[in-house]
Amino acid sequence: MHLPPEAYLWFKTFHVIGVVVWFAGLFYLVRLFIYHAEADALGPDAQAVLKPQYTLMEKRLANIITTPGMVVTVAMAVGLLAANPGWLHQGWLHVKLAFVALLLAYHLFCYRLMGQLQQGICAWSSGKLRALNEAPTLLLVVIVMLAVFKGQFPTGSATWLVVALVVFMAVAIQLYARKRRRNAEQQALSQGA
């Protein structure tokens, strides 16, 4: 099969757009899960309003934005490989595809959590969901670095600085969320006293 020269650029363009849409959806979807789980701590009147709203928002986000972003990403990746079949023999692509497989598993796991939240049987706390929300960030960094650097993946100090910054941001977000929860608990106790 012979593709026109501009096909590669079109595949790449829509692949990048698909990745942006997919990740935006994944980040926001798990954020909605956090709010959904936190609604359990509210009174029955608030739960009656919020839980159906979160369920609707989660379904729409997953089915209208996140999953179509994933489909476009994967379809355009197939197009890129058709335009550059030699990549299939390169180690960097095998590693990248392994991380993409983890991302696909994460995506499917989000659907499982969404179903559990809708049924009211999700055992994940908002804290665990916050930690889960950091996973795609780490995958994004590794996948993008593999795509950009290909066979010349950097292992120098700059790489480790980027990795350290990503880990630092993830830890800082978790600590900030924990601080906010503690402050809210203290405020609720002081108002109840």
Side-chain angles (χ1 to χ4, degrees), residues 33-44 46-48 50-51 54 126:
F33 293 168
I34 293 165
Y35 299 148
H36 199 146
E38 288 176 345
D40 287 335
L42 303 174
Q47 285 185 31
L50 291 175
K51 285 190 168 195
Y54 289 138
S126 64

Side-chain angles (χ1 to χ4, degrees), residues 12-13 40 44 67 73 82 92 103 112 154 158 164 192:
K12 188 174 183 179
T13 298
D40 287 335
T67 298
T73 300
W92 69 268
L103 187 62
R112 182 174 175 212

Side-chain angles (χ1 to χ4, degrees), residues 104-121:
L104 289 166
Y106 178 88
H107 183 103
L108 294 173
F109 184 70
C110 285
Y111 265 88
R112 182 174 175 212
L113 284 175
M114 185 171 60
Q116 290 175 352
L117 283 162
Q118 291 167 7
Q119 295 171 15
I121 59 171

Side-chain angles (χ1 to χ4, degrees), residues 175-189:
L175 291 173
Y176 176 71
R178 184 178 297 164
K179 182 180 185 259
R180 282 187 49 204
R181 280 193 307 274
R182 285 185 182 157
N183 288 344
E185 289 169 1
Q186 288 175 349
Q187 186 178 9
L189 288 173

Side-chain angles (χ1 to χ4, degrees), residues 92 95-96 99 141-151 153:
W92 69 268
V95 175
K96 179 185 174 193
F99 282 104
V141 169
V142 172
I143 291 168
V144 168
M145 288 180 73
L146 284 162
V148 170
F149 291 103
K150 296 181 176 36
F153 193 79

Side-chain angles (χ1 to χ4, degrees), residues 50-127:
L50 291 175
K51 285 190 168 195
Q53 183 63 35
Y54 289 138
T55 296
L56 178 65
M57 291 170 70
E58 291 159 3
K59 281 182 180 178
R60 286 182 177 170
L61 178 62
N63 296 328
I64 298 173
I65 295 173
T66 311
T67 298
M70 177 199 67
V71 169
V72 168
T73 300
V74 171
M76 295 302 106
V78 170
L80 285 168
L81 290 174
N84 295 292
W87 284 353
L88 291 169
H89 305 291
Q90 296 180 11
W92 69 268
L93 182 65
H94 301 159
V95 175
K96 179 185 174 193
L97 291 176
F99 282 104
V100 171
L102 286 174
L103 187 62
L104 289 166
Y106 178 88
H107 183 103
L108 294 173
F109 184 70
C110 285
Y111 265 88
R112 182 174 175 212
L113 284 175
M114 185 171 60
Q116 290 175 352
L117 283 162
Q118 291 167 7
Q119 295 171 15
I121 59 171
C122 183
W124 285 61
S125 68
S126 64

